Amino acid sequence: MEWTIEYHSVDVQEEIRSLPSKLKAQYFKFANRMMIYGPNLMPPHTKAFGSGLFELRLKGQEGIARVFYCTVIDQKIVMLHSFIKKSQKTPANDLTIAKKRMKEVKERYAKNKKITKS
């Protein structure tokens, strides 16, 4: 069974679509691989941040970008937040946004699962 990719919001889709062209092309290449092989493409392409949060690591002539994501039931990968990386360390604000959105996604899926069981 293949994986599907969803987005936390339309804003996240727009963030990704607005990446520089080579980074965006790399995102779509890796996203296609994730749909076939699953969310863990292994380093250097993906990195686990713990508690179910992961990052997709994009690097090219135009710079470095990161896309945070998580997984949920039914083999779904949910893209949470993307940003252009400007320093060695992941900015705390970007990590906070990703964690907050992951919590929202997990709660939404847990709630929907309870509704469908009733």
Side-chain angles (χ1 to χ4, degrees), residues 40-51:
N40 187 4
L41 299 180
M42 304 299 285
H45 309 302
T46 58
K47 178 183 175 184
F49 266 75
S51 302

Side-chain angles (χ1 to χ4, degrees), residues 4 6 11 19 34-35 45 49 54 56 63 67 70 74 77-78 90 92-93 96 116-117:
T4 57
E6 297 180 356
D11 290 341
L19 289 171
M34 291 169 85
M35 287 189 289
H45 309 302
F49 266 75
F54 300 88
L56 183 59
V67 181
C70 66
D74 298 328
I77 300 165
V78 182
T90 299
N93 184 51
T96 299
T116 57
K117 281 186 173 182

Side-chain angles (χ1 to χ4, degrees), residues 36-80:
I36 296 167
Y37 301 111
N40 187 4
L41 299 180
M42 304 299 285
H45 309 302
T46 58
K47 178 183 175 184
F49 266 75
S51 302
L53 182 65
F54 300 88
E55 73 173 358
L56 183 59
R57 307 171 79 158
L58 311 173
K59 187 175 182 180
Q61 293 174 332
E62 302 151 321
I64 297 171
R66 298 291 189 251
V67 181
F68 283 109
Y69 64 94
C70 66
T71 60
V72 292
I73 57 169
D74 298 328
Q75 290 192 243
K76 292 181 180 160
I77 300 165
V78 182
M79 300 301 174
L80 303 167

Side-chain angles (χ1 to χ4, degrees), residues 7 12-19 24 27 67 79 82:
Y7 297 85
V12 174
Q13 283 182 296
E14 290 303 316
E15 286 173 1
I16 292 169
R17 285 189 186 129
S18 69
L19 289 171
K24 182 171 42 179
Y27 165 80
V67 181
M79 300 301 174
S82 72

